[in-house]
Amino acid sequence: WAGFKFFNVYGFGERHKGTMACSPILNAYDQVSKGGPLRLFRSHKADVPDGHQTRDFVSVEDVLEVLLFALEKPLLRGIFNVGTGAGRTFLDVANAVFGALRQDPRIEFIDTPVSIRANYQYFTQAEVAKLRAAGFSQPFTPLEEGVRKYLERLEEFNRPRCT
């Protein structure tokens, strides 16, 4: 048996989740495409600058590659992390979104809601050594490339079909 722990998955197809579609990339696209600034949580830790909260963002296409690998070469039992192994900041996400949309960054920092502030995670990053040791050697999609491809699909999907 094998179990999988998915890190911050993003990619085309999450819109069907409605209000639960919450990848930072989709949220950023929605804010920026409506003409507004991108709102990011302000840091409430002295040693973490605003926007430097870090997550391991992994594209859904890469997740599928890992799962196909696991089906083709059954993994030894255990839990396998599915992430890139490289944390990236929310500012990295913001810059990737603005870059993909060919816009100058417009970022506004807002307070993290008090209701989640005490438990807010400032750093997540997958440890993928076990997955690599099992033979998964494919490189993961760089954030900027994954964001660009995702937003291209969103833009294509949102274009009017008839004129």
Side-chain angles (χ1 to χ4, degrees):
W1 62 268
F4 300 93
K5 180 179 177 187
F6 301 102
F7 279 68
N8 291 266
V9 180
Y10 68 90
F12 192 78
E14 66 179 309
R15 183 75 75 193
H16 77 280
K17 296 187 279 184
T19 58
M20 296 306 290
C22 59
S23 80
I25 291 97
L26 182 59
N27 284 334
Y29 171 77
D30 286 346
Q31 289 177 47
V32 173
S33 65
K34 292 175 185 169
L38 174 55
R39 284 182 255 128
L40 297 176
F41 287 150
R42 180 176 288 118
S43 175
H44 294 277
K45 286 185 144 186
D47 62 334
V48 179
D50 291 345
H52 285 259
Q53 301 91 326
T54 302
R55 300 284 184 276
D56 191 332
F57 298 101
V58 61
S59 81
V60 70
E61 287 87 3
D62 289 340
V63 170
L64 291 173
E65 289 298 325
V66 170
L67 296 177
L68 288 171
F69 169 80
L71 284 172
E72 292 169 2
K73 179 189 189 253
L75 299 174
L76 298 175
R77 65 177 167 232
I79 303 294
F80 294 83
N81 290 332
V82 182
T84 66
R88 298 293 300 270
T89 70
F90 282 95
L91 277 178
D92 291 336
V93 169
N95 288 323
V97 168
F98 282 108
L101 295 174
R102 296 178 184 86
Q103 295 184 22
D104 292 328
R106 290 168 290 135
I107 300 168
E108 174 185 315
F109 291 100
I110 61 172
D111 284 335
T112 305
V114 174
S115 61
I116 66 169
R117 198 176 295 173
N119 296 314
Y120 185 80
Q121 293 180 305
Y122 279 77
F123 182 85
T124 66
Q125 179 175 293
E127 173 51 64
V128 295
K130 187 174 180 180
L131 182 63
R132 293 297 192 196
F136 185 78
S137 61
Q138 180 175 318
F140 288 97
T141 305
L143 178 67
E144 290 76 9
E145 180 183 340
V147 167
R148 181 186 51 76
K149 287 180 179 179
Y150 182 18
L151 298 191
E152 284 173 358
R153 290 214 48 208
L154 285 173
E155 292 280 299
E156 179 65 30
F157 188 78
N158 288 333
R159 283 193 188 123
R161 302 287 184 222
C162 301
T163 56

Short mmCIF file of all heavy atoms in Angstrom, two decimals, residues 42-106:
data_model
loop_
_atom_site.label_atom_id
_atom_site.label_comp_id
_atom_site.label_asym_id
_atom_site.label_seq_id
_atom_site.Cartn_x
_atom_site.Cartn_y
_atom_site.Cartn_z
N ARG A 42 -0.19 39.96 5.66
CA ARG A 42 0.96 40.57 6.30
C ARG A 42 1.56 39.54 7.26
O ARG A 42 0.84 38.74 7.84
CB ARG A 42 0.48 41.81 7.07
CG ARG A 42 1.54 42.58 7.79
CD ARG A 42 0.95 43.86 8.42
NE ARG A 42 0.65 44.82 7.36
CZ ARG A 42 -0.58 45.28 7.10
NH1 ARG A 42 -1.61 44.90 7.82
NH2 ARG A 42 -0.77 46.13 6.12
N SER A 43 2.84 39.57 7.42
CA SER A 43 3.48 38.68 8.40
C SER A 43 3.28 39.24 9.80
O SER A 43 3.34 40.46 10.02
CB SER A 43 4.98 38.57 8.11
OG SER A 43 5.60 37.81 9.12
N HIS A 44 3.03 38.35 10.73
CA HIS A 44 2.91 38.74 12.13
C HIS A 44 4.03 38.13 12.95
O HIS A 44 3.90 37.93 14.15
CB HIS A 44 1.52 38.36 12.66
CG HIS A 44 0.43 39.13 11.98
ND1 HIS A 44 0.05 40.39 12.36
CD2 HIS A 44 -0.33 38.83 10.90
CE1 HIS A 44 -0.91 40.83 11.56
NE2 HIS A 44 -1.15 39.90 10.66
N LYS A 45 5.14 37.82 12.26
CA LYS A 45 6.34 37.32 12.90
C LYS A 45 7.48 38.27 12.55
O LYS A 45 7.69 38.58 11.37
CB LYS A 45 6.70 35.91 12.41
CG LYS A 45 5.82 34.82 12.95
CD LYS A 45 6.37 33.49 12.46
CE LYS A 45 6.18 32.46 13.54
NZ LYS A 45 6.82 31.19 13.19
N ALA A 46 8.22 38.69 13.54
CA ALA A 46 9.29 39.65 13.33
C ALA A 46 10.37 39.15 12.37
O ALA A 46 10.97 39.93 11.64
CB ALA A 46 9.92 40.04 14.67
N ASP A 47 10.60 37.85 12.35
CA ASP A 47 11.69 37.30 11.52
C ASP A 47 11.24 36.88 10.12
O ASP A 47 12.04 36.33 9.36
CB ASP A 47 12.36 36.13 12.23
CG ASP A 47 11.42 34.96 12.50
OD1 ASP A 47 10.19 35.19 12.60
OD2 ASP A 47 11.91 33.83 12.62
N VAL A 48 9.98 37.15 9.76
CA VAL A 48 9.47 36.80 8.43
C VAL A 48 8.90 38.07 7.79
O VAL A 48 7.89 38.60 8.25
CB VAL A 48 8.37 35.71 8.50
CG1 VAL A 48 7.84 35.40 7.11
CG2 VAL A 48 8.89 34.46 9.18
N PRO A 49 9.56 38.58 6.75
CA PRO A 49 9.03 39.78 6.08
C PRO A 49 7.66 39.51 5.44
O PRO A 49 7.34 38.37 5.09
CB PRO A 49 10.07 40.08 5.00
CG PRO A 49 11.30 39.33 5.39
CD PRO A 49 10.82 38.13 6.16
N ASP A 50 6.88 40.55 5.25
CA ASP A 50 5.58 40.43 4.58
C ASP A 50 5.77 39.74 3.23
O ASP A 50 6.67 40.08 2.46
CB ASP A 50 4.95 41.81 4.35
CG ASP A 50 4.50 42.47 5.64
OD1 ASP A 50 4.40 41.79 6.67
OD2 ASP A 50 4.25 43.70 5.61
N GLY A 51 4.92 38.76 2.96
CA GLY A 51 4.96 38.07 1.68
C GLY A 51 5.96 36.93 1.62
O GLY A 51 6.02 36.22 0.63
N HIS A 52 6.73 36.74 2.67
CA HIS A 52 7.75 35.68 2.66
C HIS A 52 7.28 34.42 3.37
O HIS A 52 8.09 33.52 3.62
CB HIS A 52 9.07 36.20 3.24
CG HIS A 52 9.79 37.08 2.28
ND1 HIS A 52 10.84 36.65 1.52
CD2 HIS A 52 9.55 38.37 1.91
CE1 HIS A 52 11.25 37.64 0.74
NE2 HIS A 52 10.49 38.69 0.96
N GLN A 53 5.98 34.33 3.65
CA GLN A 53 5.43 33.06 4.10
C GLN A 53 5.63 32.09 2.94
O GLN A 53 5.47 32.45 1.78
CB GLN A 53 3.94 33.21 4.44
CG GLN A 53 3.66 34.25 5.52
CD GLN A 53 3.40 35.65 4.99
OE1 GLN A 53 3.97 36.08 4.00
NE2 GLN A 53 2.53 36.38 5.67
N THR A 54 6.01 30.87 3.26
CA THR A 54 6.50 29.93 2.25
C THR A 54 5.68 28.65 2.21
O THR A 54 5.31 28.12 3.26
CB THR A 54 7.98 29.61 2.54
OG1 THR A 54 8.72 30.84 2.53
CG2 THR A 54 8.56 28.66 1.53
N ARG A 55 5.42 28.19 0.99
CA ARG A 55 4.71 26.93 0.78
C ARG A 55 5.42 26.16 -0.33
O ARG A 55 6.13 26.72 -1.14
CB ARG A 55 3.26 27.17 0.33
CG ARG A 55 2.40 27.95 1.30
CD ARG A 55 1.98 27.10 2.47
NE ARG A 55 1.07 27.82 3.35
CZ ARG A 55 1.43 28.64 4.31
NH1 ARG A 55 2.71 28.89 4.53
NH2 ARG A 55 0.55 29.24 5.08
N ASP A 56 5.14 24.88 -0.39
CA ASP A 56 5.63 24.04 -1.48
C ASP A 56 4.48 23.91 -2.47
O ASP A 56 3.55 23.14 -2.27
CB ASP A 56 6.05 22.67 -0.92
CG ASP A 56 6.80 21.83 -1.93
OD1 ASP A 56 6.58 22.02 -3.15
OD2 ASP A 56 7.59 20.98 -1.50
N PHE A 57 4.54 24.69 -3.54
CA PHE A 57 3.50 24.71 -4.57
C PHE A 57 3.83 23.68 -5.64
O PHE A 57 4.92 23.72 -6.22
CB PHE A 57 3.39 26.10 -5.21
CG PHE A 57 3.00 27.17 -4.24
CD1 PHE A 57 3.95 28.02 -3.71
CD2 PHE A 57 1.68 27.32 -3.84
CE1 PHE A 57 3.60 29.01 -2.80
CE2 PHE A 57 1.32 28.31 -2.94
CZ PHE A 57 2.28 29.16 -2.42
N VAL A 58 2.90 22.76 -5.90
CA VAL A 58 3.13 21.70 -6.87
C VAL A 58 1.98 21.68 -7.87
O VAL A 58 0.81 21.74 -7.48
CB VAL A 58 3.32 20.32 -6.18
CG1 VAL A 58 2.11 19.92 -5.37
CG2 VAL A 58 3.71 19.24 -7.17
N SER A 59 2.32 21.60 -9.16
CA SER A 59 1.27 21.63 -10.18
C SER A 59 0.52 20.29 -10.20
O SER A 59 1.09 19.24 -9.92
CB SER A 59 1.85 21.92 -11.57
OG SER A 59 2.39 20.77 -12.14
N VAL A 60 -0.75 20.36 -10.54
CA VAL A 60 -1.58 19.16 -10.59
C VAL A 60 -1.04 18.18 -11.64
O VAL A 60 -1.15 16.96 -11.46
CB VAL A 60 -3.07 19.52 -10.82
CG1 VAL A 60 -3.32 20.06 -12.21
CG2 VAL A 60 -3.96 18.34 -10.52
N GLU A 61 -0.43 18.70 -12.70
CA GLU A 61 0.17 17.81 -13.70
C GLU A 61 1.30 16.99 -13.08
O GLU A 61 1.44 15.79 -13.37
CB GLU A 61 0.67 18.60 -14.91
CG GLU A 61 -0.43 19.13 -15.81
CD GLU A 61 -0.96 20.49 -15.37
OE1 GLU A 61 -0.44 21.07 -14.37
OE2 GLU A 61 -1.90 20.98 -16.01
N ASP A 62 2.10 17.61 -12.23
CA ASP A 62 3.18 16.88 -11.56
C ASP A 62 2.61 15.85 -10.58
O ASP A 62 3.14 14.75 -10.45
CB ASP A 62 4.11 17.83 -10.82
CG ASP A 62 4.97 18.66 -11.76
OD1 ASP A 62 5.14 18.27 -12.93
OD2 ASP A 62 5.48 19.72 -11.32
N VAL A 63 1.54 16.20 -9.90
CA VAL A 63 0.88 15.26 -8.99
C VAL A 63 0.43 14.03 -9.77
O VAL A 63 0.63 12.89 -9.33
CB VAL A 63 -0.31 15.92 -8.26
CG1 VAL A 63 -1.14 14.89 -7.51
CG2 VAL A 63 0.19 17.01 -7.31
N LEU A 64 -0.16 14.26 -10.93
CA LEU A 64 -0.61 13.14 -11.77
C LEU A 64 0.56 12.27 -12.20
O LEU A 64 0.45 11.04 -12.23
CB LEU A 64 -1.38 13.65 -12.98
CG LEU A 64 -2.73 14.28 -12.67
CD1 LEU A 64 -3.33 14.91 -13.92
CD2 LEU A 64 -3.68 13.27 -12.06
N GLU A 65 1.70 12.87 -12.53
CA GLU A 65 2.89 12.10 -12.91
C GLU A 65 3.35 11.21 -11.76
O GLU A 65 3.73 10.06 -11.97
CB GLU A 65 4.02 13.02 -13.37
CG GLU A 65 3.77 13.69 -14.70
CD GLU A 65 3.63 12.71 -15.86
OE1 GLU A 65 4.32 11.67 -15.85
OE2 GLU A 65 2.83 12.99 -16.76
N VAL A 66 3.31 11.73 -10.54
CA VAL A 66 3.70 10.93 -9.37
C VAL A 66 2.74 9.76 -9.20
O VAL A 66 3.16 8.61 -8.98
CB VAL A 66 3.74 11.79 -8.08
CG1 VAL A 66 3.88 10.92 -6.84
CG2 VAL A 66 4.87 12.81 -8.16
N LEU A 67 1.45 10.02 -9.32
CA LEU A 67 0.46 8.95 -9.13
C LEU A 67 0.54 7.90 -10.24
O LEU A 67 0.41 6.70 -9.96
CB LEU A 67 -0.94 9.54 -9.04
CG LEU A 67 -1.18 10.45 -7.82
CD1 LEU A 67 -2.57 11.05 -7.87
CD2 LEU A 67 -0.94 9.72 -6.52
N LEU A 68 0.79 8.33 -11.48
CA LEU A 68 0.98 7.36 -12.57
C LEU A 68 2.22 6.51 -12.33
O LEU A 68 2.22 5.30 -12.56
CB LEU A 68 1.06 8.08 -13.91
CG LEU A 68 -0.26 8.66 -14.42
CD1 LEU A 68 -0.03 9.54 -15.65
CD2 LEU A 68 -1.25 7.55 -14.74
N PHE A 69 3.28 7.15 -11.86
CA PHE A 69 4.50 6.42 -11.51
C PHE A 69 4.20 5.37 -10.45
O PHE A 69 4.63 4.22 -10.55
CB PHE A 69 5.57 7.40 -11.01
CG PHE A 69 6.75 6.74 -10.37
CD1 PHE A 69 7.77 6.20 -11.14
CD2 PHE A 69 6.85 6.66 -8.98
CE1 PHE A 69 8.86 5.59 -10.55
CE2 PHE A 69 7.93 6.04 -8.39
CZ PHE A 69 8.95 5.51 -9.16
N ALA A 70 3.42 5.76 -9.44
CA ALA A 70 3.09 4.84 -8.35
C ALA A 70 2.25 3.66 -8.84
O ALA A 70 2.37 2.55 -8.32
CB ALA A 70 2.35 5.59 -7.24
N LEU A 71 1.41 3.89 -9.85
CA LEU A 71 0.62 2.80 -10.42
C LEU A 71 1.47 1.85 -11.26
O LEU A 71 1.29 0.64 -11.22
CB LEU A 71 -0.52 3.36 -11.28
CG LEU A 71 -1.71 3.94 -10.53
CD1 LEU A 71 -2.65 4.63 -11.51
CD2 LEU A 71 -2.44 2.86 -9.78
N GLU A 72 2.38 2.43 -12.03
CA GLU A 72 3.21 1.63 -12.93
C GLU A 72 4.29 0.86 -12.19
O GLU A 72 4.65 -0.25 -12.58
CB GLU A 72 3.83 2.53 -13.99
CG GLU A 72 2.81 3.10 -14.95
CD GLU A 72 3.36 4.20 -15.85
OE1 GLU A 72 4.57 4.51 -15.76
OE2 GLU A 72 2.59 4.75 -16.63
N LYS A 73 4.84 1.45 -11.17
CA LYS A 73 5.89 0.81 -10.37
C LYS A 73 5.40 0.84 -8.93
O LYS A 73 5.66 1.80 -8.21
CB LYS A 73 7.20 1.57 -10.49
CG LYS A 73 8.31 0.94 -9.66
CD LYS A 73 9.53 1.84 -9.63
CE LYS A 73 10.67 1.11 -9.01
NZ LYS A 73 11.09 1.45 -7.73
N PRO A 74 4.68 -0.15 -8.52
CA PRO A 74 4.12 -0.10 -7.17
C PRO A 74 5.17 0.26 -6.12
O PRO A 74 6.26 -0.30 -6.09
CB PRO A 74 3.58 -1.52 -6.95
CG PRO A 74 3.29 -2.01 -8.33
CD PRO A 74 4.37 -1.40 -9.20
N LEU A 75 4.84 1.24 -5.33
CA LEU A 75 5.74 1.73 -4.30
C LEU A 75 5.69 0.82 -3.09
O LEU A 75 4.66 0.21 -2.80
CB LEU A 75 5.36 3.15 -3.90
CG LEU A 75 5.42 4.20 -5.01
CD1 LEU A 75 4.89 5.53 -4.51
CD2 LEU A 75 6.83 4.36 -5.53
N LEU A 76 6.81 0.75 -2.38
CA LEU A 76 6.80 0.04 -1.10
C LEU A 76 5.85 0.75 -0.17
O LEU A 76 5.62 1.94 -0.30
CB LEU A 76 8.21 0.03 -0.51
CG LEU A 76 9.27 -0.69 -1.34
CD1 LEU A 76 10.64 -0.51 -0.69
CD2 LEU A 76 8.93 -2.16 -1.50
N ARG A 77 5.32 0.02 0.76
CA ARG A 77 4.32 0.62 1.63
C ARG A 77 4.89 1.82 2.38
O ARG A 77 6.07 1.87 2.71
CB ARG A 77 3.76 -0.41 2.58
CG ARG A 77 4.77 -0.94 3.55
CD ARG A 77 4.10 -1.92 4.51
NE ARG A 77 5.13 -2.63 5.22
CZ ARG A 77 5.19 -3.93 5.32
NH1 ARG A 77 4.27 -4.68 4.77
NH2 ARG A 77 6.16 -4.50 5.98
N GLY A 78 4.00 2.77 2.60
CA GLY A 78 4.39 3.97 3.33
C GLY A 78 3.67 5.19 2.83
O GLY A 78 2.86 5.13 1.90
N ILE A 79 3.98 6.30 3.46
CA ILE A 79 3.41 7.59 3.09
C ILE A 79 4.47 8.34 2.29
O ILE A 79 5.63 8.43 2.70
CB ILE A 79 3.02 8.42 4.33
CG1 ILE A 79 2.04 7.65 5.22
CG2 ILE A 79 2.46 9.79 3.94
CD1 ILE A 79 0.69 7.40 4.60
N PHE A 80 4.07 8.88 1.15
CA PHE A 80 4.98 9.60 0.28
C PHE A 80 4.50 11.05 0.14
O PHE A 80 3.34 11.29 -0.17
CB PHE A 80 5.05 8.94 -1.10
CG PHE A 80 5.66 7.58 -1.06
CD1 PHE A 80 4.90 6.46 -0.73
CD2 PHE A 80 7.01 7.41 -1.32
CE1 PHE A 80 5.48 5.20 -0.69
CE2 PHE A 80 7.60 6.15 -1.27
CZ PHE A 80 6.83 5.05 -0.95
N ASN A 81 5.41 11.99 0.37
CA ASN A 81 5.10 13.40 0.18
C ASN A 81 5.09 13.71 -1.31
O ASN A 81 5.96 13.26 -2.06
CB ASN A 81 6.14 14.28 0.86
CG ASN A 81 6.04 14.22 2.36
OD1 ASN A 81 4.97 13.98 2.93
ND2 ASN A 81 7.15 14.43 3.04
N VAL A 82 4.09 14.48 -1.73
CA VAL A 82 3.99 14.90 -3.13
C VAL A 82 4.06 16.42 -3.15
O VAL A 82 3.08 17.12 -2.86
CB VAL A 82 2.71 14.39 -3.80
CG1 VAL A 82 2.67 14.82 -5.27
CG2 VAL A 82 2.60 12.88 -3.68
N GLY A 83 5.24 16.90 -3.43
CA GLY A 83 5.53 18.33 -3.52
C GLY A 83 6.83 18.45 -4.29
O GLY A 83 7.44 17.44 -4.66
N THR A 84 7.28 19.66 -4.51
CA THR A 84 8.51 19.86 -5.28
C THR A 84 9.77 19.69 -4.44
O THR A 84 10.84 19.51 -4.99
CB THR A 84 8.53 21.26 -5.88
OG1 THR A 84 8.62 22.23 -4.83
CG2 THR A 84 7.31 21.53 -6.74
N GLY A 85 9.62 19.81 -3.13
CA GLY A 85 10.79 19.79 -2.26
C GLY A 85 11.44 21.16 -2.13
O GLY A 85 12.49 21.29 -1.51
N ALA A 86 10.80 22.18 -2.72
CA ALA A 86 11.34 23.54 -2.68
C ALA A 86 10.23 24.51 -2.30
O ALA A 86 9.28 24.69 -3.05
CB ALA A 86 11.94 23.92 -4.02
N GLY A 87 10.35 25.13 -1.15
CA GLY A 87 9.37 26.13 -0.74
C GLY A 87 9.55 27.41 -1.53
O GLY A 87 10.66 27.80 -1.88
N ARG A 88 8.43 28.05 -1.82
CA ARG A 88 8.43 29.34 -2.52
C ARG A 88 7.54 30.30 -1.76
O ARG A 88 6.54 29.90 -1.16
CB ARG A 88 7.91 29.17 -3.96
CG ARG A 88 8.73 28.25 -4.85
CD ARG A 88 10.12 28.78 -5.18
NE ARG A 88 10.09 30.06 -5.89
CZ ARG A 88 10.05 30.19 -7.21
NH1 ARG A 88 10.03 29.12 -7.99
NH2 ARG A 88 10.02 31.39 -7.76
N THR A 89 7.86 31.57 -1.80
CA THR A 89 7.11 32.56 -1.04
C THR A 89 5.84 32.99 -1.78
O THR A 89 5.72 32.81 -3.00
CB THR A 89 7.96 33.82 -0.76
OG1 THR A 89 8.16 34.52 -1.99
CG2 THR A 89 9.28 33.47 -0.09
N PHE A 90 4.94 33.60 -1.02
CA PHE A 90 3.74 34.15 -1.64
C PHE A 90 4.10 35.32 -2.56
O PHE A 90 3.40 35.58 -3.54
CB PHE A 90 2.72 34.55 -0.58
CG PHE A 90 1.96 33.37 -0.04
CD1 PHE A 90 2.37 32.74 1.13
CD2 PHE A 90 0.86 32.86 -0.70
CE1 PHE A 90 1.70 31.63 1.62
CE2 PHE A 90 0.18 31.75 -0.23
CZ PHE A 90 0.60 31.14 0.94
N LEU A 91 5.21 36.01 -2.28
CA LEU A 91 5.67 37.05 -3.21
C LEU A 91 6.12 36.42 -4.52
O LEU A 91 5.90 37.00 -5.60
CB LEU A 91 6.81 37.86 -2.60
CG LEU A 91 6.40 38.99 -1.68
CD1 LEU A 91 7.62 39.70 -1.10
CD2 LEU A 91 5.50 40.00 -2.38
N ASP A 92 6.73 35.24 -4.46
CA ASP A 92 7.08 34.52 -5.69
C ASP A 92 5.82 34.22 -6.50
O ASP A 92 5.81 34.39 -7.72
CB ASP A 92 7.80 33.20 -5.38
CG ASP A 92 9.18 33.37 -4.80
OD1 ASP A 92 9.81 34.43 -5.02
OD2 ASP A 92 9.64 32.43 -4.11
N VAL A 93 4.78 33.77 -5.83
CA VAL A 93 3.51 33.48 -6.51
C VAL A 93 2.96 34.76 -7.13
O VAL A 93 2.57 34.77 -8.30
CB VAL A 93 2.48 32.87 -5.54
CG1 VAL A 93 1.09 32.84 -6.16
CG2 VAL A 93 2.91 31.48 -5.11
N ALA A 94 2.95 35.84 -6.36
CA ALA A 94 2.43 37.11 -6.87
C ALA A 94 3.20 37.55 -8.11
O ALA A 94 2.59 37.90 -9.13
CB ALA A 94 2.53 38.19 -5.78
N ASN A 95 4.51 37.49 -8.05
CA ASN A 95 5.32 37.90 -9.20
C ASN A 95 5.10 36.98 -10.40
O ASN A 95 5.08 37.45 -11.54
CB ASN A 95 6.79 37.98 -8.82
CG ASN A 95 7.06 39.17 -7.92
OD1 ASN A 95 6.48 40.24 -8.09
ND2 ASN A 95 7.94 39.00 -6.96
N ALA A 96 4.91 35.70 -10.17
CA ALA A 96 4.63 34.77 -11.26
C ALA A 96 3.29 35.08 -11.92
O ALA A 96 3.17 35.04 -13.14
CB ALA A 96 4.67 33.33 -10.75
N VAL A 97 2.28 35.39 -11.11
CA VAL A 97 0.95 35.72 -11.64
C VAL A 97 1.01 37.02 -12.44
O VAL A 97 0.54 37.07 -13.59
CB VAL A 97 -0.10 35.80 -10.52
CG1 VAL A 97 -1.40 36.42 -11.01
CG2 VAL A 97 -0.35 34.41 -9.93
N PHE A 98 1.59 38.06 -11.87
CA PHE A 98 1.69 39.33 -12.60
C PHE A 98 2.52 39.16 -13.87
O PHE A 98 2.19 39.72 -14.91
CB PHE A 98 2.25 40.44 -11.70
CG PHE A 98 1.24 41.00 -10.75
CD1 PHE A 98 1.31 40.73 -9.39
CD2 PHE A 98 0.19 41.79 -11.20
CE1 PHE A 98 0.38 41.24 -8.51
CE2 PHE A 98 -0.75 42.32 -10.33
CZ PHE A 98 -0.66 42.04 -8.98
N GLY A 99 3.59 38.39 -13.79
CA GLY A 99 4.42 38.15 -14.97
C GLY A 99 3.66 37.42 -16.06
O GLY A 99 3.74 37.78 -17.23
N ALA A 100 2.91 36.39 -15.69
CA ALA A 100 2.13 35.63 -16.67
C ALA A 100 1.06 36.49 -17.31
O ALA A 100 0.73 36.29 -18.49
CB ALA A 100 1.50 34.40 -16.01
N LEU A 101 0.54 37.44 -16.56
CA LEU A 101 -0.50 38.34 -17.09
C LEU A 101 0.08 39.60 -17.72
O LEU A 101 -0.65 40.48 -18.14
CB LEU A 101 -1.50 38.70 -15.97
CG LEU A 101 -2.31 37.54 -15.42
CD1 LEU A 101 -3.15 37.99 -14.22
CD2 LEU A 101 -3.18 36.91 -16.50
N ARG A 102 1.41 39.68 -17.71
CA ARG A 102 2.13 40.83 -18.29
C ARG A 102 1.69 42.15 -17.67
O ARG A 102 1.37 43.11 -18.37
CB ARG A 102 2.00 40.85 -19.80
CG ARG A 102 2.63 39.65 -20.48
CD ARG A 102 2.43 39.70 -21.99
NE ARG A 102 2.95 38.53 -22.64
CZ ARG A 102 2.26 37.39 -22.82
NH1 ARG A 102 1.03 37.29 -22.38
NH2 ARG A 102 2.80 36.36 -23.43
N GLN A 103 1.64 42.15 -16.35
CA GLN A 103 1.26 43.35 -15.61
C GLN A 103 2.32 43.68 -14.57
O GLN A 103 3.02 42.79 -14.08
CB GLN A 103 -0.08 43.14 -14.89
CG GLN A 103 -1.26 42.94 -15.80
CD GLN A 103 -2.56 42.83 -15.02
OE1 GLN A 103 -2.66 43.28 -13.88
NE2 GLN A 103 -3.55 42.22 -15.62
N ASP A 104 2.39 44.95 -14.23
CA ASP A 104 3.26 45.35 -13.12
C ASP A 104 2.61 44.92 -11.82
O ASP A 104 1.38 45.04 -11.67
CB ASP A 104 3.46 46.87 -13.11
CG ASP A 104 4.28 47.36 -14.30
OD1 ASP A 104 5.15 46.60 -14.77
OD2 ASP A 104 4.03 48.49 -14.76
N PRO A 105 3.42 44.43 -10.88
CA PRO A 105 2.84 43.98 -9.60
C PRO A 105 2.15 45.11 -8.83
O PRO A 105 2.66 46.23 -8.78
CB PRO A 105 4.07 43.47 -8.82
CG PRO A 105 5.08 43.15 -9.86
CD PRO A 105 4.84 44.14 -10.97
N ARG A 106 0.98 44.79 -8.32
CA ARG A 106 0.24 45.68 -7.42
C ARG A 106 -0.17 44.82 -6.24
O ARG A 106 -1.12 44.03 -6.35
CB ARG A 106 -1.00 46.26 -8.11
CG ARG A 106 -0.67 47.28 -9.20
CD ARG A 106 -1.88 47.60 -10.04
NE ARG A 106 -2.14 46.37 -10.79
CZ ARG A 106 -3.31 45.78 -10.99
NH1 ARG A 106 -4.36 46.26 -10.61
NH2 ARG A 106 -3.45 44.66 -11.64
#
